Amino acid sequence: FTNVGNPHALGQKPLTFPRQVVALCQAPFLLDDPNVGLIFPADAIARAKHYLAMAPGGLGAYSDSRGIPGIRKEVAEFIERRDGYPSDPELIYLTDGASKGVMQMLNTIIRNERDGILVPVPQYPLYSAAISLFGGSLVPYYLEEEANWGLDFVNLRQTVASARSKGITVRAMVIINPGNPTGQCLSEGNIKELLKFCFHENLVLLADEVYQQNIYQDERPFISARKVLFDMGPPMSREVQLVSFHTVSKGYWGECGQRGGYFEMTNLPPKTVDEIYKVASIALSPNVPGQIFMGLMVNPPKPGDISYLKFSAESKSILESLRRRARLMTDGFNSCRNVVCNFTEGAMYSFPQIRLPPKAIDAAKRAGKAADVFYCLKLLEATGISTVPGSGFGQKEGVFHLRTTILPAEEDMPAIMTSFKKFNDTFMDQYDGYSRM
């Protein structure tokens, strides 16, 4: 199952320290056991007590609708360390995964079908689905595959002008950095241009930065949109409205089922923040264990702590293996006939372009399927490898892709790529493939 970014389902082991802390928080009677120190390290015990003191009713009680104040403070301190600029805990809301935060903000922004949201294509389908659910209009802007899935600002301006000519009010722009499904990391220059664009066009920037820990090259490290914005100084740093999202689901944590996330608001008017608080209050409280996972992610063991060496070794092992898997998969795809693939710089996906022969496209039409769906189903039937057709994310007309995760166990990766190559060769032979361009 390489179709979903679901690390633990593909064998990634949970990090020990956060699970120890949450186990103690879930079963606080263990803290009263005289043998607790034989099973749990002292720093995990101390941290469990720290979080239980913040949650007087324990994990079974509602928290503040915005999330536990002490954990929001830990998130603010993490953001300040990362960006070099202070962060206000009052403008940070904890959510059930980043998805709930994204949906809350889109619901806030969209008033009716004439409100448009700029979304990168290929895109993560959460955006098109949520925009549709809230009755808005998706305004797709295409990433440039030949420029390593970079942004084309000429195309972006034309897209906005075209939407406005149809009576659509473009209100916000989404960026996914590092990219899903494309796996690219935006350069600082690209983010600066983006922020200038949002400033001039009066757009809210929704920065989906959930893969910020997943970086597999050194040329383009992750840099947050917030840091770039504050580096640019006034008037932009005071005026561009920015909402940033993060989660415990991705990175080397991979805790998708725990549903811990946050969003941070920058330069949103106080009245708007008040309304967002009201809407958050409808759901009463984000799940409390997910909040504790978020606190642990932003405030992990430090050098000198008992659990630091083990936590650090586990984290490093996962990230280094993902870096090797990104290379194995990209090289594997690029060795196949009629397949071209940009290197997975970040996130946890590969998005190869499959250059399908005309006969394959005709066969797909006869089968009543999109050409990339046809290819992916044949791949599944022949190999058992489950992927997602590129049409599920959007792509340029006449261009075909598939998305796969780089998450299978490292020792399984060579066999998976060999299996894919064998299938692809047979498929291209069957449908009279042309030589690689």
Side-chain angles (χ1 to χ4, degrees), residues 378-396:
K378 293 281 187 195
L379 171 66
L380 178 62
E381 287 160 10
T383 65
I385 299 169
S386 173
T387 59
V388 186
S391 49
F393 302 93
Q395 55 196 350
K396 289 183 177 174

Side-chain angles (χ1 to χ4, degrees), residues 22 26 59-60 258-260 286-296:
V22 175
Q26 289 279 22
L59 273 58
Q258 308 290 357
R259 311 314 300 141
N287 91 78
V288 177
Q291 296 182 51
I292 292 173
F293 270 102
M294 179 52 73
L296 288 159

Side-chain angles (χ1 to χ4, degrees), residues 12-15 216 251-253 313-323 325:
Q12 182 176 309
K13 295 280 186 291
L15 296 168
Y216 312 125
Y252 50 87
W253 287 59
E314 287 176 349
S315 306
K316 193 176 173 195
S317 168
I318 293 166
L319 281 169
E320 285 180 352
S321 175
L322 283 168
R323 188 182 269 237
R325 282 179 268 170

Side-chain angles (χ1 to χ4, degrees), residues 166-364:
K166 293 171 189 157
I168 290 172
T169 305
V170 183
R171 282 172 65 80
M173 176 175 185
V174 173
I175 58 164
I176 308 174
N177 180 43
N180 175 8
T182 46
Q184 90 289 6
C185 295
L186 291 178
S187 66
E188 186 174 353
N190 248 179
I191 298 170
K192 264 187 187 162
E193 284 284 314
L194 255 170
L195 289 161
K196 282 182 198 164
F197 178 77
C198 290
F199 178 69
H200 290 302
E201 301 292 345
N202 195 26
L203 304 175
V204 180
L205 181 62
L206 303 177
D208 179 336
E209 297 174 335
V210 301
Y211 296 101
Q212 60 189 263
Q213 294 161 316
N214 303 68
I215 307 296
Y216 312 125
Q217 39 70 44
D218 302 318
E219 295 74 42
R220 259 197 297 284
F222 170 77
I223 180 164
S224 73
R226 179 181 182 274
K227 175 172 170 48
V228 177
L229 177 63
F230 285 139
D231 283 349
M232 291 168 87
M236 288 183 47
S237 61
R238 293 208 188 110
E239 290 184 36
V240 173
Q241 295 185 25
L242 167 69
V243 185
S244 309
F245 303 90
H246 200 8
T247 181
V248 300
S249 297
K250 308 305 175 186
Y252 50 87
W253 287 59
E255 294 281 7
C256 300
Q258 308 290 357
R259 311 314 300 141
Y262 76 74
F263 63 84
E264 183 200 26
M265 299 169 280
T266 303
N267 296 329
L268 267 63
K271 274 189 175 175
T272 305
V273 175
D274 290 345
E275 291 299 319
I276 291 166
Y277 187 7
K278 281 185 203 170
V279 175
S281 301
I282 295 170
L284 291 174
S285 160
N287 91 78
V288 177
Q291 296 182 51
I292 292 173
F293 270 102
M294 179 52 73
L296 288 159
M297 188 182 89
V298 297
N299 185 17
K302 295 176 179 61
D305 290 352
I306 297 163
S307 298
Y308 174 74
L309 288 176
K310 184 172 187 178
F311 176 85
S312 179
E314 287 176 349
S315 306
K316 193 176 173 195
S317 168
I318 293 166
L319 281 169
E320 285 180 352
S321 175
L322 283 168
R323 188 182 269 237
R324 290 191 296 271
R325 282 179 268 170
R327 177 53 69 196
L328 277 168
M329 193 163 258
T330 308
D331 290 349
F333 283 133
N334 283 321
S335 73
C336 293
R337 196 158 120 214
N338 298 339
V339 179
V340 282
C341 186
N342 283 318
F343 177 61
T344 299
E345 297 180 334
M348 45 180 67
Y349 309 100
S350 200
F351 198 63
Q353 184 184 141
I354 315 293
R355 293 182 168 164
L356 294 173
K359 280 186 185 174
I361 296 168
D362 291 342

